[in-house]
Amino acid sequence: MPLLLVLEDNPPDRRVAAQLGSSAGFDEFELSGSATDIKAYLAKALEGKVPLPDAMLIDLSLGYDSGFEILRFWRSTPRLKPIPVVVWTLARDTQLEI
């Protein structure tokens, strides 16, 4: 059962992400609007307490924290690096640097 981990702070957009994930073959979802919660989920997954996601969809621009924190954690954790990440965000006329 493929699991998609979604970080999106807008509830209607979380529903859209789940619908898109479902059409892409995911049938389990962990949805959150908090980078802190997603990081805690990934830490539990690394400890074997919950399943590792098969992919992650991350909004970089959140109300009070940032999806960049999750990207940094993902890049710095060897066991997470094989997990595909899709960035889903509203980009203004700015350059994104990770």
Side-chain angles (χ1 to χ4, degrees), residues 3 16 26 37 48 58 62 78 90:
L3 170 66
V16 170
F26 292 93
D37 291 348
I58 297 173
L62 304 172
L90 173 64

Side-chain angles (χ1 to χ4, degrees), residues 6-87:
V6 176
L7 172 57
E8 169 57 61
D9 61 336
N10 184 340
D13 289 345
R14 273 198 297 263
R15 287 190 292 277
V16 170
Q19 290 170 348
L20 291 172
S22 182
S23 68
F26 292 93
D27 53 11
E28 289 190 35
F29 304 92
E30 183 67 34
L31 308 168
S32 178
S34 164
T36 302
D37 291 348
I38 292 295
K39 194 171 180 182
Y41 179 92
L42 290 170
K44 286 181 189 177
L46 291 168
E47 293 171 0
K49 296 178 180 177
V50 296
L52 279 168
D54 296 289
M56 294 188 284
L57 189 143
I58 297 173
D59 181 4
L60 297 179
S61 303
L62 304 172
Y64 57 91
D65 55 8
S66 169
F68 283 105
E69 179 181 334
I70 301 305
L71 286 179
R72 286 184 198 101
F73 184 65
W74 167 73
R75 287 186 72 193
S76 67
T77 309
R79 285 189 50 213
L80 297 179
K81 280 182 121 175
I83 297 171
V85 172
V86 174
V87 172

